């Protein structure tokens, strides 16, 4: 198949742009939500499969446009993929090119993280720069400096990051690397690069996100020697080769948080599983602060109960284990209906408050100054046409629409489908009055080339 032919373009596809979600709000939800595998784990673990010259079977892979795009990147590198339901089989025994295609990498920042794995396997990699995006500039300087510390020559020319390992061994060298900021992507890129390097690599001020731990567990299951993932210091002792693996990725903590907030704002009772409550400590703590009862029903099940009142609170986004930036927009939607004034400070990304003006279209009272949003609680929201400007902003609008009186119409579903596994269908099953009009369905948007397996094998 032509890897790029069947993929809707997130930025330009008329199909993706023409579909809208209609929500008739003000109705409580009820029931159980099946949480899908973590988007950010799935994407980086797919990149990690490039380290292995055998078969990788990855379970619990969510059905997402971003996963589809990452599959397209791997296909373009000559890797074989098949998908059946939530199982993705990847065989990177042959990587036929070290150059990832511009059109795909610019649509999916996470695909840049594959530079570490490609360089480790081939000793050479050419990656288009992912560029900025709706939430900020998103540089890759930490990825580049880390690879240079491991002995790679890296030059950025004409928008391409060209990296190679000088000398005949093709092998990166272990190094001590300090990250100026605990970047998730840089930690993952460098961890992957270090698995096949010669000697020991130490990454200081590493990101501690659960998805970093998931990637480390995946690599270790293939024979890598990574210690300390989940702490600020990760040590990797390089090995010459990794072996085949079968691995199941963790539940998506951001999808879990989004449904908890949807339950809270609609004053509903929902159960959610499978989940990892330990990955949601700041989210659960803030919900309880706001007055939302959250019950741990078992090791992998949470229940959100109807709250009497919603109280204002202050939020500052931080690297894990701080409050996740990916939950900031959904919480802003919730706080629009809380009693009192809330202050939200976005400290991870520089331009991630664009949903505030869309929430105001629904009757919210939010003022933005720099990276801070002042949210004055209002008694009710009322439906209106709104536009999702990025992935989590779109989720926030869905949440607000569920609580707003009347009809809310949300455009920009290409963002939502990037990172939520059939959100509208899952909400329908909980009794939400939500429907997708025009364009193509969530299923169709993400299944056209890696599901079912017949259409993906090359
Ligand atoms: C990942 C997640 C994203 C989440 C973010 C923060 C994936 C696919 N995406 O993105 O959902 O919102 O973590 O939790 O896993 N930075 C630099 N130089 C670099 C790299 C990053 O200055 O080389 C800065 C960024 O501009 C940003 C901050 O570091 O201000 C954090 O970004 P980072 O943790 O790298 O985010 P991503 O890995 O891109």
């Amino acid at each position: 198949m032509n890897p790029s032919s069947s993929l809707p373009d997130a930025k330009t596809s008329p199909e993706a742009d023409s579909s809208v979600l209609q929500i008739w709000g003000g109705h409580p939800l009820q029931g159980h939500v099946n949480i899908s595998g973590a988007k950010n784990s799935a994407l980086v673990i797919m990149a990690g499969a490039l380290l292995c010259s055998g078969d990788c079977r990855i379970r619990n892979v969510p059905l997402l446009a971003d996963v589809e795009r990452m599959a397209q990147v791997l296909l373009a590198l000559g890797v074989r993929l098949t998908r059946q339901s939530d199982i993705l089989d990847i065989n990177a025994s042959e990587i036929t090119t070290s150059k990832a295609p511009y059109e795909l990498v610019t649509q999916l920042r996470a695909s840049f993280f594959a530079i570490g794995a490609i360089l480790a396997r081939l000793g050479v990699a050419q990656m288009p720069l992912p560029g900025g995006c709706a939430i900020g500039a998103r540089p890759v300087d930490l990825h580049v400096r880390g690879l240079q510390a491991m002995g790679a020559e890296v030059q950025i020319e004409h928008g391409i990051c060209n990296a190679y390992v000088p000398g005949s061994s093709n092998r990166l060298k272990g190094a001590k690397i300090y990250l100026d900021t605990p970047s998730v992507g840089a930690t993952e890129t460098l961890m992957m690069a270090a698995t096949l390097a010669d000697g020991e690599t130490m990454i200081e001020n590493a990101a501690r996100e659960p998805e970093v731990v998931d990637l480390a567990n995946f690599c270790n299951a293939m024979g890598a020697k990574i210690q300390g993932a989940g702490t600020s210091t990760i040590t990797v002792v390089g090995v010459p080769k990794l072996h085949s693996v079968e691995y199941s990725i963790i539940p998506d903590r951001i999808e879990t948080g989004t449904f908890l907030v949807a339950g809270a704002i609609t004053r509903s009772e929902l159960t959610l599983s499978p989940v990892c409550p330990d990955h949601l400590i700041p989210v659960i703590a803030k919900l309880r602060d706001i007055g939302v009862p959250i019950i741990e029903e078992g090791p992998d099940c949470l229940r959100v109960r109807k709250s009497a009142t919603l109280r204002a609170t202050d939020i500052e986004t931080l690297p894990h284990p701080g409050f996740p930036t990916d939950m900031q927009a959904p919480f802003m939607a919730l706080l629009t209906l809380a009693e009192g004034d809330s202050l939200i400070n976005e400290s991870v990304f520089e331009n991630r408050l664009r949903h505030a003006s869309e929430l105001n279209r629904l009757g919210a009272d939010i003022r933005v100054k720099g990276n801070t949003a002042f949210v004055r609680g209002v008694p009710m929201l009322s439906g209106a046409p709104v536009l999702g400007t990025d992935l989590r902003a779109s989720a926030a609008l869905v949440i607000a629409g569920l609580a707003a009186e009347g009809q809310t119409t949300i455009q920009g579903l290409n963002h939502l489908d990037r990172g939520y596994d059939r959100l509208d269908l899952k909400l329908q099953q909980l009794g939400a009055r939500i429907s997708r009009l025009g364009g193509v369905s969530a299923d169709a948007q993400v299944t056209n080339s890696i599901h079912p397996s017949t259409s993906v094998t090359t």
Side-chain angles (χ1 to χ4, degrees), residues 40 109 138-143 183-185 326 348-349 352:
N40 289 347
R109 180 177 167 81
R138 308 190 77 175
V140 289
D141 55 312
L142 299 174
H143 304 241
S183 156
V184 175
D326 288 347
V348 178
F349 291 110
R352 208 175 195 181

Side-chain angles (χ1 to χ4, degrees), residues 39-41 43-44 66 108-113 135-145 179-188 207 209 211 253-254 318-320 324-327 346-350 352 391-392 418:
K39 169 179 88 79
N40 289 347
S41 282
L43 297 176
V44 76
D66 270 6
L108 176 62
R109 180 177 167 81
S111 58
F112 183 85
F113 306 170
I135 62 175
R138 308 190 77 175
V140 289
D141 55 312
L142 299 174
H143 304 241
V144 169
R145 283 187 355 229
L179 298 179
D180 291 342
T181 185
S183 156
V184 175
T187 303
E188 293 170 340
E209 269 68 2
E211 295 78 17
R253 65 195 165 104
I254 307 301
L318 289 167
H320 192 79
T325 172
D326 288 347
M327 285 307 301
E346 172 57 57
S347 74
V348 178
F349 291 110
E350 63 266 34
R352 208 175 195 181
L391 169 56
R392 307 301 172 188
R418 276 188 45 218

Side-chain angles (χ1 to χ4, degrees), residues 24 52 76 92 105 108 113 123 142 155 168 173 201 216 233 329 339 424 439:
W24 289 266
C52 175
V105 177
L108 176 62
F113 306 170
L142 299 174
Q155 271 168 359
S168 55
K173 289 190 177 51
T201 298
T233 304
E339 278 178 22
D424 40 334

Side-chain angles (χ1 to χ4, degrees), residues 5 16 18 32 38 49 61 155 181 184 213 234 299 305 342 370 392 431 437:
S5 62
S18 66
H32 180 78
V61 178
Q155 271 168 359
T181 185
V184 175
V213 180
I234 296 178
R305 285 233 164 97
S342 302
R392 307 301 172 188
L437 302 179

